[in-house]
Amino acid sequence: MALGDRKIPEVFNKKTGGSKDARSITSAKELEIKAEYDAGVHVADDGMFNTIAPALYAIQKLSEDIDELRRYIIAEVGDGAQGPQGPAGAKGDTGNTGATGSAGATGARGPAGADGADGADGADGAAGTTDASQLSASTLPTSRPKDRNKLWNNRGVVNVS
């Protein structure tokens, strides 16, 4: 699900020139606001604090919610760019039948090619994969099989007999 649009515009901005608007302040004014905030003027002045206390309370709760969202995203979601890997796909389809061999000048037409094999199931009985990066050579034999076209693990390199 994509991030939704903002509900309200920024409280203030530092736009200048032709892009300046009603919420624009100077860098000097922003430094003044920050200095007053850092000094706790909004809390120390009882008259001001009593007037703006409900709004400050709401801002504090929003800040805590944002901190919790940050914690969750970092700890539970990760970078947010990719979810967990899904289960292995279904067994591959049977391949197409090969083309019929050419007829020689006087010879018989060759036999049709064989159907392709289904994808192999994994060691755990789950459907196999056609992605070589997902294969594990750890379950292959470590010596060359006597049968042809069998996979085997030759010191970490997958070979075909």
Side-chain angles (χ1 to χ4, degrees), residues 115-157:
D115 286 347
D118 289 345
D121 285 346
D124 61 357
T129 180
T130 58
D131 183 353
S133 68
Q134 301 294 320
L135 297 175
S136 170
S138 65
T139 59
L140 294 175
T142 55
S143 60
R144 183 180 190 136
K146 292 178 184 172
D147 296 340
R148 292 181 47 133
N149 299 322
K150 299 291 182 185
L151 297 178
W152 63 289
N153 183 347
N154 184 7
R155 297 184 187 145
V157 176

PDB file of all heavy atoms in Angstrom, residues 115-157:
ATOM      1  N   ASP A 115       9.277 -35.336 -24.989  1.00  0.00           N
ATOM      2  CA  ASP A 115       8.734 -34.241 -24.185  1.00  0.00           C
ATOM      3  C   ASP A 115       9.755 -33.814 -23.144  1.00  0.00           C
ATOM      4  O   ASP A 115      10.522 -34.638 -22.631  1.00  0.00           O
ATOM      5  CB  ASP A 115       7.455 -34.677 -23.454  1.00  0.00           C
ATOM      6  CG  ASP A 115       6.268 -34.773 -24.403  1.00  0.00           C
ATOM      7  OD1 ASP A 115       6.376 -34.275 -25.531  1.00  0.00           O
ATOM      8  OD2 ASP A 115       5.247 -35.338 -23.981  1.00  0.00           O
ATOM      9  N   GLY A 116       9.767 -32.528 -22.794  1.00  0.00           N
ATOM     10  CA  GLY A 116      10.626 -32.056 -21.716  1.00  0.00           C
ATOM     11  C   GLY A 116      10.158 -32.614 -20.385  1.00  0.00           C
ATOM     12  O   GLY A 116       8.993 -32.961 -20.216  1.00  0.00           O
ATOM     13  N   ALA A 117      11.073 -32.692 -19.422  1.00  0.00           N
ATOM     14  CA  ALA A 117      10.742 -33.243 -18.103  1.00  0.00           C
ATOM     15  C   ALA A 117      10.099 -32.186 -17.221  1.00  0.00           C
ATOM     16  O   ALA A 117      10.349 -31.001 -17.382  1.00  0.00           O
ATOM     17  CB  ALA A 117      12.011 -33.773 -17.442  1.00  0.00           C
ATOM     18  N   ASP A 118       9.271 -32.625 -16.296  1.00  0.00           N
ATOM     19  CA  ASP A 118       8.702 -31.719 -15.306  1.00  0.00           C
ATOM     20  C   ASP A 118       9.815 -31.223 -14.391  1.00  0.00           C
ATOM     21  O   ASP A 118      10.807 -31.919 -14.174  1.00  0.00           O
ATOM     22  CB  ASP A 118       7.654 -32.429 -14.445  1.00  0.00           C
ATOM     23  CG  ASP A 118       6.385 -32.724 -15.225  1.00  0.00           C
ATOM     24  OD1 ASP A 118       6.221 -32.141 -16.313  1.00  0.00           O
ATOM     25  OD2 ASP A 118       5.569 -33.519 -14.738  1.00  0.00           O
ATOM     26  N   GLY A 119       9.636 -30.029 -13.789  1.00  0.00           N
ATOM     27  CA  GLY A 119      10.596 -29.522 -12.804  1.00  0.00           C
ATOM     28  C   GLY A 119      10.632 -30.453 -11.600  1.00  0.00           C
ATOM     29  O   GLY A 119       9.621 -31.001 -11.190  1.00  0.00           O
ATOM     30  N   ALA A 120      11.811 -30.641 -11.035  1.00  0.00           N
ATOM     31  CA  ALA A 120      11.961 -31.562  -9.911  1.00  0.00           C
ATOM     32  C   ALA A 120      11.450 -30.950  -8.623  1.00  0.00           C
ATOM     33  O   ALA A 120      11.564 -29.746  -8.414  1.00  0.00           O
ATOM     34  CB  ALA A 120      13.430 -31.939  -9.761  1.00  0.00           C
ATOM     35  N   ASP A 121      10.892 -31.784  -7.766  1.00  0.00           N
ATOM     36  CA  ASP A 121      10.484 -31.321  -6.443  1.00  0.00           C
ATOM     37  C   ASP A 121      11.715 -31.122  -5.580  1.00  0.00           C
ATOM     38  O   ASP A 121      12.742 -31.782  -5.754  1.00  0.00           O
ATOM     39  CB  ASP A 121       9.557 -32.337  -5.762  1.00  0.00           C
ATOM     40  CG  ASP A 121       8.156 -32.298  -6.350  1.00  0.00           C
ATOM     41  OD1 ASP A 121       7.857 -31.341  -7.072  1.00  0.00           O
ATOM     42  OD2 ASP A 121       7.383 -33.218  -6.074  1.00  0.00           O
ATOM     43  N   GLY A 122      11.636 -30.203  -4.624  1.00  0.00           N
ATOM     44  CA  GLY A 122      12.737 -29.963  -3.701  1.00  0.00           C
ATOM     45  C   GLY A 122      12.866 -31.085  -2.685  1.00  0.00           C
ATOM     46  O   GLY A 122      12.021 -31.971  -2.588  1.00  0.00           O
ATOM     47  N   ALA A 123      13.955 -31.031  -1.888  1.00  0.00           N
ATOM     48  CA  ALA A 123      14.231 -32.078  -0.910  1.00  0.00           C
ATOM     49  C   ALA A 123      13.117 -32.192   0.133  1.00  0.00           C
ATOM     50  O   ALA A 123      12.859 -33.263   0.667  1.00  0.00           O
ATOM     51  CB  ALA A 123      15.560 -31.798  -0.213  1.00  0.00           C
ATOM     52  N   ASP A 124      12.452 -31.067   0.415  1.00  0.00           N
ATOM     53  CA  ASP A 124      11.404 -31.086   1.426  1.00  0.00           C
ATOM     54  C   ASP A 124      10.042 -31.446   0.843  1.00  0.00           C
ATOM     55  O   ASP A 124       9.026 -31.346   1.508  1.00  0.00           O
ATOM     56  CB  ASP A 124      11.330 -29.733   2.155  1.00  0.00           C
ATOM     57  CG  ASP A 124      10.997 -28.582   1.212  1.00  0.00           C
ATOM     58  OD1 ASP A 124      10.875 -28.828  -0.021  1.00  0.00           O
ATOM     59  OD2 ASP A 124      10.839 -27.458   1.689  1.00  0.00           O
ATOM     60  N   GLY A 125      10.036 -31.851  -0.422  1.00  0.00           N
ATOM     61  CA  GLY A 125       8.775 -32.225  -1.056  1.00  0.00           C
ATOM     62  C   GLY A 125       8.073 -31.046  -1.695  1.00  0.00           C
ATOM     63  O   GLY A 125       7.108 -31.209  -2.405  1.00  0.00           O
ATOM     64  N   ALA A 126       8.585 -29.828  -1.459  1.00  0.00           N
ATOM     65  CA  ALA A 126       7.975 -28.648  -2.060  1.00  0.00           C
ATOM     66  C   ALA A 126       8.348 -28.597  -3.532  1.00  0.00           C
ATOM     67  O   ALA A 126       9.307 -29.233  -3.967  1.00  0.00           O
ATOM     68  CB  ALA A 126       8.450 -27.388  -1.344  1.00  0.00           C
ATOM     69  N   ALA A 127       7.601 -27.830  -4.277  1.00  0.00           N
ATOM     70  CA  ALA A 127       7.861 -27.709  -5.703  1.00  0.00           C
ATOM     71  C   ALA A 127       9.257 -27.167  -5.943  1.00  0.00           C
ATOM     72  O   ALA A 127       9.761 -26.353  -5.183  1.00  0.00           O
ATOM     73  CB  ALA A 127       6.815 -26.800  -6.339  1.00  0.00           C
ATOM     74  N   GLY A 128       9.909 -27.635  -7.005  1.00  0.00           N
ATOM     75  CA  GLY A 128      11.261 -27.217  -7.339  1.00  0.00           C
ATOM     76  C   GLY A 128      11.304 -25.822  -7.934  1.00  0.00           C
ATOM     77  O   GLY A 128      10.298 -25.154  -8.078  1.00  0.00           O
ATOM     78  N   THR A 129      12.510 -25.393  -8.317  1.00  0.00           N
ATOM     79  CA  THR A 129      12.693 -24.062  -8.871  1.00  0.00           C
ATOM     80  C   THR A 129      13.531 -24.151 -10.133  1.00  0.00           C
ATOM     81  O   THR A 129      14.298 -25.095 -10.307  1.00  0.00           O
ATOM     82  CB  THR A 129      13.374 -23.122  -7.851  1.00  0.00           C
ATOM     83  OG1 THR A 129      13.526 -21.839  -8.461  1.00  0.00           O
ATOM     84  CG2 THR A 129      14.735 -23.630  -7.422  1.00  0.00           C
ATOM     85  N   THR A 130      13.381 -23.204 -11.017  1.00  0.00           N
ATOM     86  CA  THR A 130      14.230 -23.117 -12.201  1.00  0.00           C
ATOM     87  C   THR A 130      15.269 -22.019 -12.027  1.00  0.00           C
ATOM     88  O   THR A 130      16.045 -21.777 -12.925  1.00  0.00           O
ATOM     89  CB  THR A 130      13.374 -22.825 -13.445  1.00  0.00           C
ATOM     90  OG1 THR A 130      12.662 -21.607 -13.232  1.00  0.00           O
ATOM     91  CG2 THR A 130      12.406 -23.958 -13.718  1.00  0.00           C
ATOM     92  N   ASP A 131      15.312 -21.372 -10.889  1.00  0.00           N
ATOM     93  CA  ASP A 131      16.267 -20.316 -10.595  1.00  0.00           C
ATOM     94  C   ASP A 131      17.517 -20.946  -9.977  1.00  0.00           C
ATOM     95  O   ASP A 131      17.478 -21.426  -8.843  1.00  0.00           O
ATOM     96  CB  ASP A 131      15.636 -19.300  -9.648  1.00  0.00           C
ATOM     97  CG  ASP A 131      16.545 -18.119  -9.347  1.00  0.00           C
ATOM     98  OD1 ASP A 131      17.728 -18.113  -9.759  1.00  0.00           O
ATOM     99  OD2 ASP A 131      16.070 -17.198  -8.679  1.00  0.00           O
ATOM    100  N   ALA A 132      18.648 -20.939 -10.691  1.00  0.00           N
ATOM    101  CA  ALA A 132      19.865 -21.600 -10.217  1.00  0.00           C
ATOM    102  C   ALA A 132      20.369 -21.009  -8.906  1.00  0.00           C
ATOM    103  O   ALA A 132      20.977 -21.713  -8.102  1.00  0.00           O
ATOM    104  CB  ALA A 132      20.948 -21.523 -11.285  1.00  0.00           C
ATOM    105  N   SER A 133      20.111 -19.723  -8.657  1.00  0.00           N
ATOM    106  CA  SER A 133      20.592 -19.110  -7.413  1.00  0.00           C
ATOM    107  C   SER A 133      19.839 -19.643  -6.195  1.00  0.00           C
ATOM    108  O   SER A 133      20.284 -19.473  -5.070  1.00  0.00           O
ATOM    109  CB  SER A 133      20.453 -17.587  -7.484  1.00  0.00           C
ATOM    110  OG  SER A 133      19.089 -17.221  -7.492  1.00  0.00           O
ATOM    111  N   GLN A 134      18.698 -20.306  -6.402  1.00  0.00           N
ATOM    112  CA  GLN A 134      17.908 -20.854  -5.303  1.00  0.00           C
ATOM    113  C   GLN A 134      18.242 -22.322  -5.025  1.00  0.00           C
ATOM    114  O   GLN A 134      17.712 -22.908  -4.093  1.00  0.00           O
ATOM    115  CB  GLN A 134      16.410 -20.736  -5.609  1.00  0.00           C
ATOM    116  CG  GLN A 134      15.933 -19.323  -5.830  1.00  0.00           C
ATOM    117  CD  GLN A 134      16.044 -18.495  -4.575  1.00  0.00           C
ATOM    118  OE1 GLN A 134      15.758 -18.963  -3.487  1.00  0.00           O
ATOM    119  NE2 GLN A 134      16.485 -17.261  -4.716  1.00  0.00           N
ATOM    120  N   LEU A 135      19.119 -22.932  -5.841  1.00  0.00           N
ATOM    121  CA  LEU A 135      19.448 -24.341  -5.662  1.00  0.00           C
ATOM    122  C   LEU A 135      20.511 -24.522  -4.590  1.00  0.00           C
ATOM    123  O   LEU A 135      21.367 -23.671  -4.404  1.00  0.00           O
ATOM    124  CB  LEU A 135      19.957 -24.933  -6.987  1.00  0.00           C
ATOM    125  CG  LEU A 135      18.955 -24.933  -8.142  1.00  0.00           C
ATOM    126  CD1 LEU A 135      19.625 -25.436  -9.400  1.00  0.00           C
ATOM    127  CD2 LEU A 135      17.749 -25.782  -7.806  1.00  0.00           C
ATOM    128  N   SER A 136      20.504 -25.662  -3.932  1.00  0.00           N
ATOM    129  CA  SER A 136      21.505 -25.997  -2.929  1.00  0.00           C
ATOM    130  C   SER A 136      22.240 -27.248  -3.389  1.00  0.00           C
ATOM    131  O   SER A 136      21.623 -28.264  -3.676  1.00  0.00           O
ATOM    132  CB  SER A 136      20.846 -26.254  -1.580  1.00  0.00           C
ATOM    133  OG  SER A 136      21.788 -26.788  -0.683  1.00  0.00           O
ATOM    134  N   ALA A 137      23.566 -27.170  -3.446  1.00  0.00           N
ATOM    135  CA  ALA A 137      24.372 -28.319  -3.853  1.00  0.00           C
ATOM    136  C   ALA A 137      24.679 -29.223  -2.671  1.00  0.00           C
ATOM    137  O   ALA A 137      25.296 -30.268  -2.837  1.00  0.00           O
ATOM    138  CB  ALA A 137      25.656 -27.830  -4.508  1.00  0.00           C
ATOM    139  N   SER A 138      24.252 -28.850  -1.474  1.00  0.00           N
ATOM    140  CA  SER A 138      24.611 -29.615  -0.273  1.00  0.00           C
ATOM    141  C   SER A 138      24.024 -31.020  -0.248  1.00  0.00           C
ATOM    142  O   SER A 138      24.540 -31.888   0.440  1.00  0.00           O
ATOM    143  CB  SER A 138      24.192 -28.850   0.976  1.00  0.00           C
ATOM    144  OG  SER A 138      22.793 -28.736   1.019  1.00  0.00           O
ATOM    145  N   THR A 139      22.953 -31.277  -0.985  1.00  0.00           N
ATOM    146  CA  THR A 139      22.340 -32.604  -0.974  1.00  0.00           C
ATOM    147  C   THR A 139      22.786 -33.462  -2.155  1.00  0.00           C
ATOM    148  O   THR A 139      22.369 -34.601  -2.273  1.00  0.00           O
ATOM    149  CB  THR A 139      20.809 -32.481  -0.998  1.00  0.00           C
ATOM    150  OG1 THR A 139      20.428 -31.769  -2.180  1.00  0.00           O
ATOM    151  CG2 THR A 139      20.294 -31.759   0.232  1.00  0.00           C
ATOM    152  N   LEU A 140      23.640 -32.931  -3.029  1.00  0.00           N
ATOM    153  CA  LEU A 140      24.111 -33.688  -4.191  1.00  0.00           C
ATOM    154  C   LEU A 140      25.230 -34.641  -3.777  1.00  0.00           C
ATOM    155  O   LEU A 140      25.973 -34.367  -2.830  1.00  0.00           O
ATOM    156  CB  LEU A 140      24.630 -32.729  -5.268  1.00  0.00           C
ATOM    157  CG  LEU A 140      23.596 -31.807  -5.910  1.00  0.00           C
ATOM    158  CD1 LEU A 140      24.280 -30.839  -6.863  1.00  0.00           C
ATOM    159  CD2 LEU A 140      22.526 -32.595  -6.629  1.00  0.00           C
ATOM    160  N   PRO A 141      25.399 -35.746  -4.509  1.00  0.00           N
ATOM    161  CA  PRO A 141      26.521 -36.637  -4.211  1.00  0.00           C
ATOM    162  C   PRO A 141      27.845 -35.920  -4.469  1.00  0.00           C
ATOM    163  O   PRO A 141      27.925 -35.023  -5.304  1.00  0.00           O
ATOM    164  CB  PRO A 141      26.317 -37.812  -5.184  1.00  0.00           C
ATOM    165  CG  PRO A 141      25.395 -37.319  -6.230  1.00  0.00           C
ATOM    166  CD  PRO A 141      24.582 -36.215  -5.629  1.00  0.00           C
ATOM    167  N   THR A 142      28.900 -36.335  -3.752  1.00  0.00           N
ATOM    168  CA  THR A 142      30.199 -35.685  -3.896  1.00  0.00           C
ATOM    169  C   THR A 142      31.145 -36.479  -4.782  1.00  0.00           C
ATOM    170  O   THR A 142      32.302 -36.105  -4.936  1.00  0.00           O
ATOM    171  CB  THR A 142      30.843 -35.463  -2.519  1.00  0.00           C
ATOM    172  OG1 THR A 142      30.913 -36.722  -1.846  1.00  0.00           O
ATOM    173  CG2 THR A 142      30.034 -34.473  -1.699  1.00  0.00           C
ATOM    174  N   SER A 143      30.679 -37.574  -5.346  1.00  0.00           N
ATOM    175  CA  SER A 143      31.478 -38.295  -6.340  1.00  0.00           C
ATOM    176  C   SER A 143      30.658 -38.409  -7.615  1.00  0.00           C
ATOM    177  O   SER A 143      29.427 -38.425  -7.585  1.00  0.00           O
ATOM    178  CB  SER A 143      31.878 -39.672  -5.812  1.00  0.00           C
ATOM    179  OG  SER A 143      30.727 -40.437  -5.513  1.00  0.00           O
ATOM    180  N   ARG A 144      31.372 -38.521  -8.738  1.00  0.00           N
ATOM    181  CA  ARG A 144      30.710 -38.521 -10.046  1.00  0.00           C
ATOM    182  C   ARG A 144      29.808 -39.759 -10.191  1.00  0.00           C
ATOM    183  O   ARG A 144      30.275 -40.886 -10.048  1.00  0.00           O
ATOM    184  CB  ARG A 144      31.771 -38.517 -11.134  1.00  0.00           C
ATOM    185  CG  ARG A 144      31.201 -38.436 -12.507  1.00  0.00           C
ATOM    186  CD  ARG A 144      32.300 -38.430 -13.558  1.00  0.00           C
ATOM    187  NE  ARG A 144      31.723 -38.112 -14.835  1.00  0.00           N
ATOM    188  CZ  ARG A 144      32.227 -37.290 -15.697  1.00  0.00           C
ATOM    189  NH1 ARG A 144      33.378 -36.710 -15.443  1.00  0.00           N
ATOM    190  NH2 ARG A 144      31.632 -37.036 -16.833  1.00  0.00           N
ATOM    191  N   PRO A 145      28.503 -39.547 -10.471  1.00  0.00           N
ATOM    192  CA  PRO A 145      27.602 -40.687 -10.656  1.00  0.00           C
ATOM    193  C   PRO A 145      27.961 -41.471 -11.926  1.00  0.00           C
ATOM    194  O   PRO A 145      28.507 -40.915 -12.872  1.00  0.00           O
ATOM    195  CB  PRO A 145      26.218 -40.052 -10.797  1.00  0.00           C
ATOM    196  CG  PRO A 145      26.365 -38.661 -10.304  1.00  0.00           C
ATOM    197  CD  PRO A 145      27.792 -38.283 -10.515  1.00  0.00           C
ATOM    198  N   LYS A 146      27.652 -42.771 -11.945  1.00  0.00           N
ATOM    199  CA  LYS A 146      27.931 -43.605 -13.122  1.00  0.00           C
ATOM    200  C   LYS A 146      26.965 -43.278 -14.247  1.00  0.00           C
ATOM    201  O   LYS A 146      27.309 -43.385 -15.415  1.00  0.00           O
ATOM    202  CB  LYS A 146      27.842 -45.085 -12.743  1.00  0.00           C
ATOM    203  CG  LYS A 146      28.947 -45.504 -11.799  1.00  0.00           C
ATOM    204  CD  LYS A 146      28.818 -46.953 -11.399  1.00  0.00           C
ATOM    205  CE  LYS A 146      29.902 -47.263 -10.382  1.00  0.00           C
ATOM    206  NZ  LYS A 146      29.773 -48.570  -9.791  1.00  0.00           N
ATOM    207  N   ASP A 147      25.742 -42.886 -13.897  1.00  0.00           N
ATOM    208  CA  ASP A 147      24.740 -42.544 -14.917  1.00  0.00           C
ATOM    209  C   ASP A 147      25.073 -41.198 -15.539  1.00  0.00           C
ATOM    210  O   ASP A 147      25.618 -40.301 -14.887  1.00  0.00           O
ATOM    211  CB  ASP A 147      23.337 -42.477 -14.295  1.00  0.00           C
ATOM    212  CG  ASP A 147      22.860 -43.818 -13.759  1.00  0.00           C
ATOM    213  OD1 ASP A 147      23.401 -44.855 -14.190  1.00  0.00           O
ATOM    214  OD2 ASP A 147      21.951 -43.806 -12.909  1.00  0.00           O
ATOM    215  N   ARG A 148      24.706 -41.035 -16.795  1.00  0.00           N
ATOM    216  CA  ARG A 148      24.933 -39.771 -17.498  1.00  0.00           C
ATOM    217  C   ARG A 148      23.851 -38.753 -17.135  1.00  0.00           C
ATOM    218  O   ARG A 148      22.752 -39.115 -16.740  1.00  0.00           O
ATOM    219  CB  ARG A 148      24.929 -40.007 -19.009  1.00  0.00           C
ATOM    220  CG  ARG A 148      26.121 -40.813 -19.492  1.00  0.00           C
ATOM    221  CD  ARG A 148      26.063 -40.987 -20.985  1.00  0.00           C
ATOM    222  NE  ARG A 148      25.781 -39.706 -21.623  1.00  0.00           N
ATOM    223  CZ  ARG A 148      26.424 -39.221 -22.663  1.00  0.00           C
ATOM    224  NH1 ARG A 148      27.366 -39.917 -23.220  1.00  0.00           N
ATOM    225  NH2 ARG A 148      26.104 -38.060 -23.181  1.00  0.00           N
ATOM    226  N   ASN A 149      24.199 -37.479 -17.270  1.00  0.00           N
ATOM    227  CA  ASN A 149      23.278 -36.353 -17.070  1.00  0.00           C
ATOM    228  C   ASN A 149      22.761 -36.228 -15.635  1.00  0.00           C
ATOM    229  O   ASN A 149      21.637 -35.802 -15.410  1.00  0.00           O
ATOM    230  CB  ASN A 149      22.094 -36.418 -18.040  1.00  0.00           C
ATOM    231  CG  ASN A 149      22.543 -36.350 -19.483  1.00  0.00           C
ATOM    232  OD1 ASN A 149      23.476 -35.612 -19.811  1.00  0.00           O
ATOM    233  ND2 ASN A 149      21.903 -37.115 -20.345  1.00  0.00           N
ATOM    234  N   LYS A 150      23.567 -36.624 -14.653  1.00  0.00           N
ATOM    235  CA  LYS A 150      23.224 -36.473 -13.240  1.00  0.00           C
ATOM    236  C   LYS A 150      24.104 -35.384 -12.636  1.00  0.00           C
ATOM    237  O   LYS A 150      25.290 -35.263 -12.964  1.00  0.00           O
ATOM    238  CB  LYS A 150      23.458 -37.788 -12.472  1.00  0.00           C
ATOM    239  CG  LYS A 150      22.634 -38.945 -12.975  1.00  0.00           C
ATOM    240  CD  LYS A 150      21.177 -38.738 -12.665  1.00  0.00           C
ATOM    241  CE  LYS A 150      20.370 -39.942 -13.137  1.00  0.00           C
ATOM    242  NZ  LYS A 150      18.965 -39.758 -12.962  1.00  0.00           N
ATOM    243  N   LEU A 151      23.531 -34.584 -11.744  1.00  0.00           N
ATOM    244  CA  LEU A 151      24.287 -33.531 -11.073  1.00  0.00           C
ATOM    245  C   LEU A 151      25.074 -34.101  -9.910  1.00  0.00           C
ATOM    246  O   LEU A 151      24.628 -35.038  -9.250  1.00  0.00           O
ATOM    247  CB  LEU A 151      23.331 -32.451 -10.556  1.00  0.00           C
ATOM    248  CG  LEU A 151      22.524 -31.681 -11.599  1.00  0.00           C
ATOM    249  CD1 LEU A 151      21.591 -30.700 -10.906  1.00  0.00           C
ATOM    250  CD2 LEU A 151      23.426 -30.954 -12.565  1.00  0.00           C
ATOM    251  N   TRP A 152      26.254 -33.522  -9.644  1.00  0.00           N
ATOM    252  CA  TRP A 152      27.039 -33.903  -8.484  1.00  0.00           C
ATOM    253  C   TRP A 152      27.873 -32.718  -8.028  1.00  0.00           C
ATOM    254  O   TRP A 152      28.144 -31.794  -8.776  1.00  0.00           O
ATOM    255  CB  TRP A 152      27.891 -35.144  -8.759  1.00  0.00           C
ATOM    256  CG  TRP A 152      28.950 -35.005  -9.824  1.00  0.00           C
ATOM    257  CD1 TRP A 152      28.766 -34.892 -11.152  1.00  0.00           C
ATOM    258  CD2 TRP A 152      30.365 -34.971  -9.605  1.00  0.00           C
ATOM    259  NE1 TRP A 152      29.953 -34.802 -11.805  1.00  0.00           N
ATOM    260  CE2 TRP A 152      30.967 -34.848 -10.873  1.00  0.00           C
ATOM    261  CE3 TRP A 152      31.172 -35.051  -8.483  1.00  0.00           C
ATOM    262  CZ2 TRP A 152      32.340 -34.786 -11.046  1.00  0.00           C
ATOM    263  CZ3 TRP A 152      32.542 -34.998  -8.658  1.00  0.00           C
ATOM    264  CH2 TRP A 152      33.110 -34.871  -9.923  1.00  0.00           C
ATOM    265  N   ASN A 153      28.246 -32.722  -6.729  1.00  0.00           N
ATOM    266  CA  ASN A 153      28.947 -31.615  -6.083  1.00  0.00           C
ATOM    267  C   ASN A 153      30.444 -31.915  -6.098  1.00  0.00           C
ATOM    268  O   ASN A 153      30.912 -32.798  -5.403  1.00  0.00           O
ATOM    269  CB  ASN A 153      28.432 -31.452  -4.642  1.00  0.00           C
ATOM    270  CG  ASN A 153      29.052 -30.275  -3.930  1.00  0.00           C
ATOM    271  OD1 ASN A 153      30.034 -29.686  -4.372  1.00  0.00           O
ATOM    272  ND2 ASN A 153      28.478 -29.933  -2.794  1.00  0.00           N
ATOM    273  N   ASN A 154      31.188 -31.176  -6.904  1.00  0.00           N
ATOM    274  CA  ASN A 154      32.638 -31.360  -7.020  1.00  0.00           C
ATOM    275  C   ASN A 154      33.327 -30.233  -6.265  1.00  0.00           C
ATOM    276  O   ASN A 154      33.645 -29.197  -6.827  1.00  0.00           O
ATOM    277  CB  ASN A 154      33.043 -31.374  -8.492  1.00  0.00           C
ATOM    278  CG  ASN A 154      34.519 -31.662  -8.698  1.00  0.00           C
ATOM    279  OD1 ASN A 154      35.231 -31.987  -7.754  1.00  0.00           O
ATOM    280  ND2 ASN A 154      34.963 -31.534  -9.942  1.00  0.00           N
ATOM    281  N   ARG A 155      33.480 -30.380  -4.926  1.00  0.00           N
ATOM    282  CA  ARG A 155      34.120 -29.379  -4.064  1.00  0.00           C
ATOM    283  C   ARG A 155      33.458 -28.005  -4.191  1.00  0.00           C
ATOM    284  O   ARG A 155      34.111 -26.983  -4.334  1.00  0.00           O
ATOM    285  CB  ARG A 155      35.603 -29.280  -4.364  1.00  0.00           C
ATOM    286  CG  ARG A 155      36.338 -30.561  -4.069  1.00  0.00           C
ATOM    287  CD  ARG A 155      37.806 -30.416  -4.287  1.00  0.00           C
ATOM    288  NE  ARG A 155      38.427 -31.710  -4.140  1.00  0.00           N
ATOM    289  CZ  ARG A 155      39.455 -32.114  -4.837  1.00  0.00           C
ATOM    290  NH1 ARG A 155      39.992 -31.323  -5.726  1.00  0.00           N
ATOM    291  NH2 ARG A 155      39.956 -33.303  -4.644  1.00  0.00           N
ATOM    292  N   GLY A 156      32.143 -28.004  -4.176  1.00  0.00           N
ATOM    293  CA  GLY A 156      31.375 -26.762  -4.217  1.00  0.00           C
ATOM    294  C   GLY A 156      30.973 -26.318  -5.602  1.00  0.00           C
ATOM    295  O   GLY A 156      30.252 -25.347  -5.763  1.00  0.00           O
ATOM    296  N   VAL A 157      31.433 -27.026  -6.639  1.00  0.00           N
ATOM    297  CA  VAL A 157      31.049 -26.704  -8.014  1.00  0.00           C
ATOM    298  C   VAL A 157      30.120 -27.788  -8.492  1.00  0.00           C
ATOM    299  O   VAL A 157      30.421 -28.982  -8.417  1.00  0.00           O
ATOM    300  CB  VAL A 157      32.307 -26.627  -8.926  1.00  0.00           C
ATOM    301  CG1 VAL A 157      31.893 -26.378 -10.370  1.00  0.00           C
ATOM    302  CG2 VAL A 157      33.254 -25.560  -8.435  1.00  0.00           C
TER     303      VAL A 157
END
